[in-house]
Protein backbone atom coordinates (compact mmCIF):
# COMPACT_ATOMS: atom_id res chain seq x y z
CA UNK A 1 0.00 0.00 0.00
CA UNK A 2 2.90 2.33 0.61
CA UNK A 3 3.81 1.98 -3.07
CA UNK A 4 0.28 2.94 -4.09
CA UNK A 5 0.47 6.03 -1.90
CA UNK A 6 3.79 7.02 -3.40
CA UNK A 7 2.60 6.40 -6.95
CA UNK A 8 -0.66 8.32 -6.54
CA UNK A 9 1.08 11.27 -4.92
CA UNK A 10 3.29 11.53 -7.99
CA UNK A 11 0.49 11.38 -10.57
CA UNK A 12 -1.51 14.16 -12.14
CA UNK A 13 -5.17 13.81 -11.10
CA UNK A 14 -6.12 13.02 -14.69
CA UNK A 15 -3.93 9.91 -14.48
CA UNK A 16 -5.61 8.47 -11.40
CA UNK A 17 -8.50 6.71 -13.19
CA UNK A 18 -6.22 4.57 -15.37
CA UNK A 19 -3.91 3.82 -12.46
CA UNK A 20 -6.65 2.56 -10.16
CA UNK A 21 -8.55 0.73 -12.90
CA UNK A 22 -5.41 -1.24 -13.79
CA UNK A 23 -5.16 -2.39 -10.16
CA UNK A 24 -8.87 -2.83 -9.49
CA UNK A 25 -8.94 -6.63 -9.50
CA UNK A 26 -11.84 -6.42 -11.94
CA UNK A 27 -13.23 -8.21 -13.75
CA UNK A 28 -13.08 -10.78 -11.00
CA UNK A 29 -14.93 -11.88 -7.89
CA UNK A 30 -13.66 -9.05 -5.67
CA UNK A 31 -12.60 -5.50 -6.17
CA UNK A 32 -9.35 -4.27 -4.62
CA UNK A 33 -10.71 -2.73 -1.41
CA UNK A 34 -7.26 -1.97 -0.04
CA UNK A 35 -6.64 0.41 -2.92
CA UNK A 36 -10.07 1.95 -2.38
CA UNK A 37 -8.95 2.82 1.14
CA UNK A 38 -5.69 4.35 -0.07
CA UNK A 39 -7.49 6.47 -2.64
CA UNK A 40 -9.96 7.61 0.01
CA UNK A 41 -6.99 8.74 2.09
CA UNK A 42 -5.00 10.48 -0.66
CA UNK A 43 -7.47 11.90 -3.19
CA UNK A 44 -7.89 15.66 -3.33
CA UNK A 45 -10.92 17.33 -4.98
CA UNK A 46 -9.25 17.33 -8.40
CA UNK A 47 -8.55 13.60 -8.20
CA UNK A 48 -12.11 12.88 -7.06
CA UNK A 49 -13.45 14.90 -9.96
CA UNK A 50 -11.28 12.98 -12.43
CA UNK A 51 -12.31 9.62 -10.98
CA UNK A 52 -15.99 10.47 -11.21
CA UNK A 53 -15.68 11.89 -14.71
CA UNK A 54 -14.05 8.66 -15.92
CA UNK A 55 -17.40 6.87 -15.76
CA UNK A 56 -16.14 3.37 -14.96
CA UNK A 57 -17.42 1.68 -11.82
CA UNK A 58 -14.18 1.11 -9.93
CA UNK A 59 -12.82 4.65 -10.30
CA UNK A 60 -16.25 5.89 -9.22
CA UNK A 61 -16.13 3.55 -6.22
CA UNK A 62 -12.79 5.02 -5.22
CA UNK A 63 -14.15 8.55 -5.62
CA UNK A 64 -17.20 7.63 -3.55
CA UNK A 65 -14.97 6.38 -0.73
CA UNK A 66 -12.91 9.56 -0.82
CA UNK A 67 -16.08 11.63 -0.75
CA UNK A 68 -17.57 9.64 2.13
CA UNK A 69 -14.39 10.05 4.15
CA UNK A 70 -14.60 13.84 3.79
CA UNK A 71 -18.31 14.13 4.48
CA UNK A 72 -17.82 16.15 7.65
CA UNK A 73 -17.74 19.03 5.13
CA UNK A 74 -21.42 19.73 4.33
CA UNK A 75 -20.75 20.41 0.65
CA UNK A 76 -18.92 17.10 0.31
CA UNK A 77 -21.63 15.32 2.29
CA UNK A 78 -24.19 16.32 -0.33
CA UNK A 79 -22.13 14.66 -3.05
CA UNK A 80 -21.62 11.55 -0.94
CA UNK A 81 -25.35 11.31 -0.29
CA UNK A 82 -26.03 11.46 -4.02
CA UNK A 83 -23.46 8.72 -4.64
CA UNK A 84 -25.10 6.58 -1.95
CA UNK A 85 -28.16 6.55 -4.22
CA UNK A 86 -26.16 5.46 -7.29
CA UNK A 87 -27.50 2.51 -9.29
CA UNK A 88 -24.09 0.80 -9.15
CA UNK A 89 -23.65 -1.25 -5.99
CA UNK A 90 -19.89 -0.84 -5.81
CA UNK A 91 -20.24 2.93 -5.87
CA UNK A 92 -22.73 2.73 -3.02
CA UNK A 93 -20.35 0.46 -1.13
CA UNK A 94 -17.57 2.98 -1.68
CA UNK A 95 -19.61 5.61 0.17
CA UNK A 96 -20.11 3.26 3.12
CA UNK A 97 -16.38 2.45 3.21
CA UNK A 98 -15.56 6.15 3.21
CA UNK A 99 -18.01 6.90 6.00
CA UNK A 100 -16.49 4.15 8.10
CA UNK A 101 -13.07 5.71 7.55
CA UNK A 102 -14.55 9.01 8.72
CA UNK A 103 -15.74 7.16 11.82
CA UNK A 104 -12.14 6.22 12.60
CA UNK A 105 -11.12 9.88 12.84
CA UNK A 106 -14.31 11.85 13.59
CA UNK A 107 -16.88 9.64 15.32
CA UNK A 108 -19.15 12.57 16.08
CA UNK A 109 -19.50 13.53 12.43
CA UNK A 110 -19.88 9.86 11.44
CA UNK A 111 -22.75 9.33 13.88
CA UNK A 112 -24.44 12.57 12.85
CA UNK A 113 -24.32 11.70 9.17
CA UNK A 114 -25.76 8.24 9.75
CA UNK A 115 -28.51 9.76 11.88
CA UNK A 116 -29.43 12.24 9.15
CA UNK A 117 -29.20 9.84 6.25
CA UNK A 118 -31.38 7.17 7.79
CA UNK A 119 -34.39 9.48 7.39
CA UNK A 120 -33.68 10.18 3.71
CA UNK A 121 -36.57 9.28 1.37
CA UNK A 122 -34.30 6.94 -0.58
CA UNK A 123 -33.96 3.39 0.80
CA UNK A 124 -30.48 3.29 -0.72
CA UNK A 125 -29.36 6.30 1.32
CA UNK A 126 -30.91 4.70 4.39
CA UNK A 127 -28.96 1.55 3.54
CA UNK A 128 -25.75 3.60 3.44
CA UNK A 129 -26.48 4.85 6.95
CA UNK A 130 -26.97 1.29 8.21
CA UNK A 131 -23.89 -0.06 6.43
CA UNK A 132 -21.73 2.84 7.59
CA UNK A 133 -22.59 2.62 11.28
CA UNK A 134 -22.90 -1.17 11.66
CA UNK A 135 -19.15 -1.75 11.57
CA UNK A 136 -17.78 -3.74 14.55
CA UNK A 137 -14.46 -1.94 14.76
CA UNK A 138 -16.25 1.37 15.30
CA UNK A 139 -18.79 0.25 17.90
CA UNK A 140 -16.55 0.27 20.95
CA UNK A 141 -18.60 2.38 23.34
CA UNK A 142 -22.19 2.33 24.59
CA UNK A 143 -22.73 5.66 22.83
CA UNK A 144 -21.76 4.34 19.41
CA UNK A 145 -23.65 1.08 19.92
CA UNK A 146 -26.76 3.04 20.88
CA UNK A 147 -26.38 5.15 17.74
CA UNK A 148 -26.19 2.01 15.61
CA UNK A 149 -29.28 0.52 17.28
CA UNK A 150 -31.16 3.78 16.70
CA UNK A 151 -30.23 3.84 13.01
CA UNK A 152 -31.29 0.21 12.58
CA UNK A 153 -34.58 0.83 14.39
CA UNK A 154 -35.43 3.88 12.30
CA UNK A 155 -34.48 2.20 9.03
CA UNK A 156 -36.60 -0.81 9.98
CA UNK A 157 -39.59 1.46 10.65
CA UNK A 158 -39.13 3.18 7.30
CA UNK A 159 -38.98 -0.15 5.50
CA UNK A 160 -42.03 -1.50 7.32
CA UNK A 161 -44.00 1.64 6.43
CA UNK A 162 -43.49 1.27 2.68
CA UNK A 163 -46.52 0.33 0.56
CA UNK A 164 -46.38 -3.25 -0.65
CA UNK A 165 -45.39 -2.33 -4.20
CA UNK A 166 -42.56 -0.04 -3.05
CA UNK A 167 -41.33 -2.66 -0.59
CA UNK A 168 -40.74 -5.07 -3.47
CA UNK A 169 -38.49 -2.70 -5.39
CA UNK A 170 -34.75 -3.43 -5.58
CA UNK A 171 -33.81 -0.40 -3.49
CA UNK A 172 -36.04 -1.56 -0.63
CA UNK A 173 -34.68 -5.11 -0.93
CA UNK A 174 -31.17 -3.68 -0.66
CA UNK A 175 -32.09 -1.87 2.55
CA UNK A 176 -33.67 -5.04 3.91
CA UNK A 177 -30.48 -6.97 3.16
CA UNK A 178 -28.40 -4.47 5.14
CA UNK A 179 -30.78 -4.70 8.07
CA UNK A 180 -30.54 -8.49 7.83
CA UNK A 181 -27.04 -8.27 9.33
CA UNK A 182 -26.85 -4.74 10.75
CA UNK A 183 -29.01 -5.44 13.79
CA UNK A 184 -26.76 -8.29 14.90
CA UNK A 185 -23.69 -6.05 14.71
CA UNK A 186 -25.35 -3.28 16.68
CA UNK A 187 -26.78 -5.55 19.36
CA UNK A 188 -23.58 -7.57 19.80
CA UNK A 189 -21.63 -4.35 20.36
CA UNK A 190 -23.64 -3.70 23.54
CA UNK A 191 -26.44 -6.16 24.31
CA UNK A 192 -27.60 -4.05 27.24
CA UNK A 193 -28.34 -1.24 24.83
CA UNK A 194 -29.63 -3.18 21.84
CA UNK A 195 -31.15 -6.50 22.81
CA UNK A 196 -34.40 -5.08 24.10
CA UNK A 197 -34.94 -3.03 20.95
CA UNK A 198 -34.27 -6.06 18.76
CA UNK A 199 -36.60 -8.34 20.70
CA UNK A 200 -39.35 -5.70 20.51
CA UNK A 201 -39.44 -5.73 16.70
CA UNK A 202 -42.86 -6.55 15.30
CA UNK A 203 -42.47 -9.89 13.56
CA UNK A 204 -46.08 -9.81 12.39
CA UNK A 205 -44.75 -7.67 9.54
CA UNK A 206 -43.20 -9.91 6.85
CA UNK A 207 -40.12 -7.80 6.14
CA UNK A 208 -39.43 -7.32 9.83
CA UNK A 209 -39.86 -11.05 10.43
CA UNK A 210 -37.27 -11.72 7.71
CA UNK A 211 -34.85 -9.22 9.28
CA UNK A 212 -35.23 -10.82 12.71
CA UNK A 213 -34.79 -14.32 11.32
CA UNK A 214 -31.64 -13.41 9.38
CA UNK A 215 -30.03 -11.72 12.38
CA UNK A 216 -30.85 -14.61 14.69
CA UNK A 217 -28.79 -16.81 12.36
CA UNK A 218 -25.67 -14.71 12.97
CA UNK A 219 -23.42 -16.31 15.57
CA UNK A 220 -22.58 -12.96 17.17
CA UNK A 221 -26.27 -12.59 18.06
CA UNK A 222 -27.42 -16.18 18.44
CA UNK A 223 -25.05 -16.67 21.38
CA UNK A 224 -26.82 -13.81 23.21
CA UNK A 225 -30.36 -15.09 22.77
Amino acid sequence: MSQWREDLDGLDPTQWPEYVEARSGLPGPRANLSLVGVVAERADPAAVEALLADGREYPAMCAAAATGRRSSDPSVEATARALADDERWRVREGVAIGLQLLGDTDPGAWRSIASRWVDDPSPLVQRAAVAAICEPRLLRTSETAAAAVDVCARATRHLAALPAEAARRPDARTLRQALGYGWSVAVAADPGVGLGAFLALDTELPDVAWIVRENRRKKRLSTLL
Side-chain angles (χ1 to χ4, degrees):
M1 288 192 286
S2 61
Q3 185 62 55
W4 294 336
R5 292 185 181 93
E6 183 178 339
D7 290 347
L8 288 169
D9 288 347
L11 292 177
D12 184 87
T14 60
Q15 297 174 299
W16 282 44
E18 287 301 331
Y19 181 90
V20 301
E21 180 66 22
R23 294 158 181 80
S24 68
L26 301 175
R30 295 182 181 177
N32 183 347
L33 298 185
S34 296
L35 180 55
V36 172
V38 171
V39 174
E41 171 194 325
R42 312 302 281 192
D44 62 13
V48 170
E49 182 179 358
L51 290 164
L52 288 175
D54 177 78
R56 287 174 290 185
E57 186 172 24
Y58 185 79
M61 180 186 190
C62 292
T67 303
R69 185 173 180 268
R70 289 162 176 76
S71 288
S72 55
D73 179 332
S75 64
V76 178
E77 181 189 346
T79 301
R81 189 188 289 234
L83 290 169
D85 202 29
D86 196 277
E87 63 182 9
R88 296 166 293 181
W89 74 267
R90 282 195 174 94
V91 177
R92 301 194 300 266
E93 190 61 21
V95 175
I97 290 169
L99 290 176
Q100 290 169 0
L101 292 172
L102 175 63
D104 287 324
T105 59
D106 193 342
W110 163 71
R111 288 194 302 269
S112 294
I113 289 168
S115 183
R116 288 193 295 273
W117 287 21
V118 77
D119 293 326
D120 191 274
S122 168
L124 292 178
V125 177
Q126 295 170 33
R127 178 265 171 192
V130 172
I133 204 163
C134 292
E135 168 51 49
R137 78 169 190 271
L138 297 173
L139 302 182
R140 296 178 177 174
T141 67
S142 293
E143 181 181 15
T144 54
V149 169
D150 179 61
V151 166
C152 287
R154 287 156 64 189
T156 302
R157 288 196 296 270
H158 294 323
L159 180 65
L162 289 175
E165 183 178 352
R168 291 193 294 268
R169 293 195 315 239
D171 57 353
R173 299 295 86 180
T174 298
L175 173 59
R176 191 180 79 157
Q177 193 71 32
L179 289 166
Y181 74 85
W183 270 104
S184 67
V185 174
V187 173
D190 191 336
V193 169
L195 198 54
F198 178 74
L199 293 175
L201 292 173
D202 184 1
T203 54
E204 293 297 315
L205 301 170
D207 280 332
V208 178
W210 185 92
I211 289 166
V212 169
R213 185 168 62 252
E214 288 299 305
N215 280 281
R216 282 179 172 272
R217 291 173 176 170
K218 306 296 189 290
K219 185 176 181 180
R220 57 179 164 254
L221 181 57
S222 64
T223 58
L224 301 173
L225 297 172

